Amino acid sequence: RAGRTVTIPVVTGSHTLRVRIDWCGSEEVRFEVRAGEHIKFECGSNLNGWRVLIGFYYIFFRRQEYVRLRRTS
């Protein structure tokens, strides 16, 4: 949901994060966590602006790019 925040505690080391919504989702983001570190990610729709017009293309052929996932800190 828009504006929702989720906190997930993880152990130190290498991790992979991926966001899914129904049958679509984001590409995997790999990251390292050090002791005491807090990392933030942001997700949202990749279908902004003119891309809304090709929504079905993303649903059928680029499912893993339907959702944008990026590290913000």
Side-chain angles (χ1 to χ4, degrees):
R1 296 179 191 216
R4 182 174 174 203
T5 300
V6 177
T7 301
I8 303 171
V10 296
V11 298
T12 301
S14 299
H15 298 276
T16 303
L17 179 62
R18 181 172 178 230
V19 177
R20 291 189 51 88
I21 180 170
D22 296 325
W23 61 88
C24 296
S26 69
E27 294 183 313
E28 289 185 348
V29 175
R30 298 179 194 285
F31 61 98
E32 294 279 330
V33 177
R34 293 181 290 234
E37 184 176 29
H38 296 273
I39 298 175
K40 294 182 181 182
F41 290 88
E42 179 180 271
C43 65
S45 175
N46 254 338
L47 302 182
N48 297 324
W50 64 270
R51 288 185 176 161
V52 171
L53 301 174
I54 58 170
F56 286 112
Y57 174 76
Y58 274 86
I59 291 171
F60 291 109
F61 301 107
R62 301 191 95 167
R63 292 182 194 167
Q64 307 317 316
E65 296 177 29
Y66 187 83
V67 177
R68 177 189 73 252
L69 176 63
R70 66 179 176 190
R71 185 174 174 169
T72 59
S73 69

